[in-house]
Amino acid sequence: MKYNDSIVKIKGIGEKTQKTFGRIGIETVQDLLEHYPRDYEEFGMPIPIAKVNEGSVVTIEAYLGITPRLKRVRHLQILNAQVRDSSGTLLLTWFNMPFLKNRLHMGTNYLFRGKVTIKNGALVMEQPKIYSKNEYFKLLNVLQPIYPLTDGLTNNLIVKSMHEVHKHLEFAKDYIPKRISREYSLMDRTKALKEIHFPKDRDSMRRARERLAFDEFFLYSLALRRLRDSKVLSASEYPMQTVKECEELIGALPYSLTKAQLSVWDEIQNDMTSDITMNRLVQGDVGSGKTILAILAILMAVKNGYQANIMVPTEVLAKQHYTSFCSLLARFNVNVCLLVGSMTAKEKREAYDMIRDHRADVIVGTHALIQEKVVYDNLALVITDEQHRFGVKQREELMSKGKKPHVLVMSATPIPRTLAIILYGDLDISIVDELPARRLPIKNCVVNTSYRPTAYRFIEKQVAMGRQAYVICPMVEESEMIEAENVIDYTQQLKEAMAPGISIEYLHGKMKPKEKNEIMERFSDARIQVLVSTTVVEVGVNVPNATVMMVENAERFGLAQLHQLRGRVGRGEHQSYCIFVCGTKSNEAKERLEILNKSNDGFYIAEEDLKLRGPGDLFGIRQSGDLEFKIGNIYTDASILKLAAEAARGLEDDEVEKIFIENPHLEDKILNHTSGTL
């Protein structure tokens, strides 16, 4: 079996299963090998019932005390069994598994493994798996991989397929020169790909993961280096001069620009009036005022006779930008055009005509801006907003719509400058490190789950005052092995807990784009008062009327991501609040969350987060960074990122070329998969 073979070469994968794998981007043996576990389950020794705690996944050895009882509730068949050992009793519950009633025998010892929760004041193990002693002790202390799945794909099927690949794989392609592997003491890649899926122990898994993360960062750095080299000192195709309209706009604003904004605006003007094409990243905390800088750059380009566009990650944000751009630029006789995927065919045709004929000076839109049908007349400036929702490749596609246009990239993700220089190696970096004085600081609190009723009453009061609230949950649906609030069940729970007149809806990433846009528009229009959501609202949403952000299981998110979520409130004139609900008693989790409690400064938070988190923190908390790699994490693996970038810088130009000549599709593959998760 070869690395680039189709997965149908793997025993057990037929045409139907191939299509299911294809839904999550797995088409080749390489794709399967690079579908890394999201976590591992470790089977420890069984514990006495008396030591079982709420929220834990444990194994007990026990026998049936009474005959199991089967009851029906609506469409559910619920089997309850009480088991006991020498230390106590525990209730077990299974849903829609009535056949177990005949499999379980009184007085026989079994091993039960599952998640323990509290129901009606008593501890319950729900949907436990049943093992014989022989089965269980074969698994003892073995790390069992748990994979990201899709409908129709089971963890067991991926495990079996992975075993088949490892039995027959000749070798795994290694892109890194041997001298680099030796210099940085890297594990062999073929071995690393085996150990990441079926590690001997945690140390082997850690070393395998470090090797594979190094690979991703190294190859990304090389691709970025080629990108940068192709742009270095590229002569400007669009010479510009400063224009009086920009100063007029600054003077007409109902507020004064901060020193940081004025400093960055000077850098942008200097770039656009120089002989060299601008390639600049403007990095600024949530609410620091990056959008007005984009509008000023757009006005400058338009008044020099050119077109400009701005690509944003959601239709809701595109429409909000379109409205505000029209309002601010109308007095300067600037024509603004909107282009988003949900527009009718007729509306799109009209937009295409306006863009091609230069009847539109500014085009605001989503990914629709980079479609083939969009032809610009004289595109001199391209801007990507909320950059961490776009990949490098999408930014390049937007640039290709003009003849080497000026590029302005905006990001609100607080990344320490040392990492930003590596991750955006093809761009000059400006930082807006000052918030406008008019913004009221958000009031924060970190609480445990017992605070929920108080939080609900507080949200009700805010709604009664005409405000709105977000409630963030980490999951869409309940997971068998993870104790965390989920969006769908939580919404129902909230409807029961709050006053009946309050409009409460949910939103998550698995919904169709049309559904998501409809929900967000209703929330923007205040027709929904409380929105229960996953992190899909982390960017691309501007609802000034929202004053409360409540985050459930806050310990499951990275601090930078929590800060991004917090940035959804505090956008209007009213005082805003953020409630971080910690679902664990861990002191370490509380210590991390206290950083957010004490500060609203995203860059300070990112730096403190780096200090607190180490390479041991491999799973469970996924940052929403400017780039999502398959296994590397720019925060937890910051030290590996720096080493890989250093190694990439040390390669000679001909060595870099050799890697990409021998692997012609590698560059596209790297730049396509290192993008934000939509």
Side-chain angles (χ1 to χ4, degrees):
M1 191 179 295
K2 292 184 171 57
Y3 204 43
N4 293 323
D5 281 348
S6 166
I7 56 169
V8 290
K9 291 275 186 82
I10 301 168
K11 185 180 176 184
I13 296 182
E15 199 174 303
K16 186 180 175 185
T17 312
Q18 181 189 20
K19 286 179 183 173
T20 308
F21 272 110
R23 287 210 300 269
I24 52 174
I26 298 175
E27 295 176 356
T28 66
V29 169
Q30 178 181 358
D31 295 333
L32 181 64
L33 282 169
E34 292 177 1
H35 187 67
Y36 302 119
R38 63 171 172 78
D39 207 343
Y40 299 88
E41 187 178 2
E42 192 165 7
F43 289 72
M45 288 295 289
I47 65 169
I49 288 174
K51 292 192 175 178
V52 166
N53 292 315
E54 177 198 6
S56 56
V57 176
V58 295
T59 306
I60 59 168
E61 185 175 358
Y63 63 91
L64 264 66
I66 55 174
T67 304
R69 288 180 295 110
L70 185 64
K71 64 177 181 178
R72 288 180 179 273
V73 179
R74 298 190 191 93
H75 300 298
L76 277 180
Q77 294 185 74
I78 303 172
L79 182 66
N80 288 317
Q82 191 183 70
V83 297
R84 63 174 65 241
D85 64 11
S86 59
S87 72
T89 62
L90 184 67
L91 182 66
L92 310 184
T93 299
W94 289 272
F95 301 101
N96 291 332
M97 299 179 77
F99 56 87
L100 288 179
K101 184 176 180 182
N102 298 323
R103 180 179 158 185
L104 297 167
H105 304 292
M106 295 284 291
T108 303
N109 263 31
Y110 297 95
L111 287 157
F112 301 100
R113 180 173 176 80
K115 181 177 70 176
V116 179
T117 60
I118 289 186
K119 292 286 169 75
N120 300 320
L123 288 173
V124 181
M125 184 182 282
E126 293 189 328
Q127 214 72 359
K129 291 181 181 174
I130 306 168
Y131 297 90
S132 68
K133 280 192 176 181
N134 281 345
E135 284 175 326
Y136 191 82
F137 284 98
K138 281 180 186 173
L139 298 171
L140 202 60
N141 298 322
V142 174
L143 293 173
Q144 298 291 323
I146 301 171
Y147 293 97
L149 302 173
T150 187
D151 289 341
L153 199 59
T154 65
N155 200 71
N156 195 38
L157 176 60
I158 296 182
V159 169
K160 280 184 177 176
S161 303
M162 212 67 81
H163 275 302
E164 279 296 314
V165 168
H166 286 299
K167 262 195 277 182
H168 302 292
L169 184 69
E170 294 173 15
F171 69 95
K173 182 81 176 173
D174 195 344
Y175 304 101
I176 295 182
K178 284 187 170 53
R179 66 177 179 82
I180 298 287
S181 295
R182 284 194 301 271
E183 186 179 343
Y184 290 89
S185 303
L186 301 175
M187 180 186 275
D188 172 74
R189 181 172 170 82
T190 303
K191 184 181 179 185
L193 283 167
K194 183 167 186 181
E195 291 293 326
I196 198 66
H197 296 290
F198 306 113
K200 291 195 291 289
D201 50 42
R202 286 209 167 258
D203 186 58
S204 295
M205 180 269 286
R206 180 187 58 77
R207 289 191 60 232
R209 191 184 170 286
E210 285 175 357
R211 163 64 208 250
L212 298 169
F214 187 100
D215 281 11
E216 284 192 304
F217 295 147
F218 177 81
L219 291 171
Y220 174 75
S221 296
L222 288 188
L224 215 55
R225 173 175 159 176
R226 275 164 59 93
L227 208 56
R228 184 184 62 241
D229 289 349
S230 71
K231 295 176 184 174
V232 168
L233 301 181
S234 172
S236 175
E237 299 284 342
Y238 303 98
M240 296 193 196
Q241 296 178 341
T242 56
V243 295
K244 68 180 190 309
E245 286 87 350
C246 289
E247 292 306 313
E248 288 173 15
L249 177 56
I250 292 171
L253 293 172
Y255 52 83
S256 299
L257 296 187
T258 63
K259 286 181 183 176
Q261 285 174 308
L262 289 170
S263 173
V264 173
W265 171 231
D266 281 345
E267 290 173 344
I268 292 169
Q269 282 192 109
N270 289 339
D271 283 350
M272 292 174 72
T273 55
S274 78
D275 298 331
I276 307 301
T277 303
M278 175 172 73
N279 282 289
R280 185 165 293 280
L281 165 69
V282 174
Q283 196 183 4
D285 211 345
V286 176
S288 60
K290 298 180 297 298
T291 305
I292 190 62
L293 296 174
I295 292 172
L296 286 167
I298 285 168
L299 183 56
M300 183 172 169
V302 170
K303 289 304 166 184
N304 272 277
Y306 305 117
Q307 285 177 309
N309 68 14
I310 178 167
M311 183 166 72
V312 300
T314 67
E315 290 200 4
V316 173
L317 186 60
K319 289 172 184 176
Q320 289 173 339
H321 272 355
Y322 171 73
T323 303
S324 64
F325 282 30
C326 286
S327 172
L328 282 167
L329 297 174
R331 60 181 291 186
F332 300 108
N333 198 28
V334 173
N335 294 318
V336 185
C337 167
L338 178 70
L339 184 58
V340 294
S342 66
M343 288 165 60
T344 64
K346 183 185 177 186
E347 288 171 333
K348 284 179 185 172
R349 279 197 303 273
E350 287 172 358
Y352 297 152
D353 289 345
M354 285 179 67
I355 295 165
R356 187 188 60 246
D357 300 341
H358 204 145
R359 285 180 285 125
D361 302 304
V362 185
I363 304 89
V364 182
T366 54
H367 294 79
L369 295 181
I370 56 178
Q371 300 303 310
E372 276 184 37
K373 291 179 181 177
V374 188
V375 178
Y376 296 85
D377 172 57
N378 206 358
L379 184 63
L381 173 66
V382 300
I383 302 175
T384 52
D385 192 9
E386 304 281 15
Q387 167 59 28
H388 67 289
R389 288 289 167 170
F390 299 109
V392 178
K393 203 69 186 169
Q394 288 165 321
R395 190 190 340 140
E396 293 299 300
E397 285 175 14
L398 188 59
M399 285 173 60
S400 71
K401 290 293 183 179
K403 187 180 178 184
K404 291 188 179 177
H406 295 290
V407 175
L408 189 62
V409 173
M410 299 195 293
S411 174
T413 304
I415 298 178
R417 189 176 179 88
T418 51
L419 301 187
I421 288 168
I422 296 169
L423 294 167
Y424 290 107
D426 61 323
L427 300 168
D428 297 316
I429 298 176
S430 294
I431 296 182
V432 186
D433 54 3
E434 185 182 359
L435 287 179
R438 68 188 184 279
R439 285 195 69 135
L440 288 171
I442 296 166
K443 292 184 178 179
N444 309 293
C445 66
V446 177
V447 297
N448 60 34
T449 52
S450 67
Y451 186 82
R452 272 191 198 130
T454 308
Y456 294 166
R457 302 292 80 79
F458 180 74
I459 290 172
E460 282 180 337
K461 284 179 185 174
Q462 288 287 303
V463 169
M465 293 164 65
R467 316 283 174 259
Q468 292 164 272
Y470 298 93
V471 179
I472 305 299
C473 298
M475 301 166 63
V476 178
E477 296 157 343
E478 191 168 2
S479 165
E480 189 180 325
M481 289 298 178
I482 299 174
E483 181 64 25
E485 295 301 329
N486 71 85
V487 167
I488 296 168
D489 290 348
Y490 195 101
T491 303
Q492 188 56 42
Q493 178 186 321
L494 209 53
K495 285 179 177 178
E496 291 167 8
M498 286 191 169
I502 296 175
S503 172
I504 303 169
E505 298 290 345
Y506 65 74
L507 178 73
H508 59 75
K510 289 186 180 179
M511 293 167 77
K512 291 176 180 173
K514 188 179 177 183
E515 289 179 292
K516 283 193 278 190
N517 282 328
E518 185 187 328
I519 292 285
M520 276 316 310
E521 284 183 6
R522 284 172 58 205
F523 188 64
S524 294
D525 297 341
R527 285 177 285 153
I528 295 171
Q529 292 157 313
V530 180
L531 183 63
V532 182
S533 176
T534 56
T535 56
V536 73
V537 299
E538 175 195 346
V539 294
V541 183
N542 182 30
V543 183
N545 192 49
T547 56
V548 183
M549 168 62 68
M550 180 174 169
V551 184
E552 287 283 359
N553 295 107
E555 75 282 355
R556 295 193 61 81
F557 300 98
L559 292 190
Q561 187 168 25
L562 288 171
H563 181 65
Q564 282 279 96
L565 288 166
R566 175 167 59 185
R568 297 308 99 199
V569 296
R571 292 170 167 260
E573 58 184 330
H574 307 291
Q575 178 63 57
S576 288
Y577 308 86
C578 194
I579 305 165
F580 299 107
V581 182
C582 188
T584 176
K585 293 175 182 175
S586 158
N587 288 329
E588 186 184 343
K590 289 173 186 170
E591 185 186 353
R592 286 180 63 252
L593 293 174
E594 276 302 315
I595 294 170
L596 283 165
N597 196 16
K598 291 171 184 171
S599 176
N600 289 320
D601 182 340
F603 291 96
Y604 166 78
I605 289 163
E607 291 286 2
E608 289 300 303
D609 201 12
L610 277 182
K611 290 177 192 173
L612 267 183
R613 296 169 62 182
D617 182 11
L618 301 179
F619 300 99
I621 300 173
R622 190 74 190 170
Q623 284 286 30
S624 177
D626 268 48
L627 293 157
E628 287 279 341
F629 293 89
K630 285 186 179 178
I631 196 166
N633 182 305
I634 64 169
Y635 291 87
T636 53
D637 301 320
S639 58
I640 301 173
L641 172 60
K642 289 172 185 175
L643 288 174
E646 173 190 271
R649 282 196 301 271
L651 252 59
E652 299 293 333
D653 289 344
D654 58 342
E655 290 180 291
V656 177
E657 282 306 305
K658 185 171 184 281
I659 290 170
F660 288 111
I661 288 169
E662 289 177 356
N663 306 279
H665 303 298
L666 182 60
E667 189 171 3
D668 277 354
K669 189 177 175 71
I670 296 161
L671 297 181
N672 273 325
H673 89 243
T674 48
S675 63
T677 46
L678 288 168

